[in-house]
Amino acid sequence: MGAEEDPGPLVRMYAVTGGRARPIGEAFDVVAVVTTLGMPYEPVGLAPEHITVLRMCVRPTTVADIGVHLRLPLNITRVLLSDLRREGLVSIDRPVASAAAMNERTYQEVLNGLRAL
C-alpha cells in the first residue's frame, strides 16, 4: 500500500479511539446534550476529531448530531465524547423534557388562556 492510499474506515476508527469500542464511565444516550466546558490551550494528545467536537459543542449539541458531523458510528463517537468528559472538557447531560423546561410564566399564560375560554 502506497503512502497516499487511504487505509480505510476501520483502520481510521481504530486509530481514533486507540482500539477502544466502548466509552469509559457513565453511559449516555444518543439524544444526550454535549456542551464544551473549556478549550485547552495546548490540545496535546487530542485527535482532530476531539478538537472538532470541542468547537461544535460551544453550543449544546446532541450526541447523534456530533456523530453525523464526524461521519463516525455512534459507538466511536461515544468513545471520543467519554475521553473529553474524562478530561473535564465537556459535559454530557440528559435532554430536558419539554414539560420540565416550561417556566412558571408559561404555565400562567396557559392558565389565563384556559380561563378566557
Side-chain angles (χ1 to χ4, degrees):
M1 176 163 73
E4 59 275 342
E5 290 182 41
D6 184 6
L10 290 177
V11 173
R12 177 175 172 250
M13 284 185 258
Y14 181 85
V16 166
T17 64
R20 294 172 291 132
R22 291 198 168 96
I24 297 170
E26 183 183 342
F28 49 90
D29 197 38
V30 297
V31 293
V33 178
V34 181
T35 307
T36 298
L37 298 174
M39 287 288 280
Y41 292 107
E42 298 290 328
V44 177
L46 294 179
E49 291 83 0
H50 288 121
I51 302 296
T52 300
V53 169
L54 290 173
R55 288 184 179 138
M56 261 184 90
C57 295
V58 170
R59 289 192 164 153
T61 308
T62 66
V63 173
D65 288 335
I66 295 165
V68 168
H69 183 81
L70 294 176
R71 299 166 121 187
L72 291 172
L74 284 172
N75 63 325
I76 301 301
T77 301
R78 285 182 173 135
V79 171
L80 294 172
L81 292 172
S82 73
D83 293 344
L84 293 171
R85 178 176 58 188
R86 192 176 64 244
E87 294 297 321
L89 298 173
V90 298
S91 68
I92 304 173
D93 303 300
R94 290 186 175 135
V96 177
S98 59
M102 293 177 67
N103 61 27
E104 186 176 333
R105 181 175 161 220
T106 304
Y107 285 121
Q108 190 61 46
E109 288 176 11
V110 170
L111 183 59
N112 291 341
L114 290 173
R115 286 183 182 151
L117 293 174

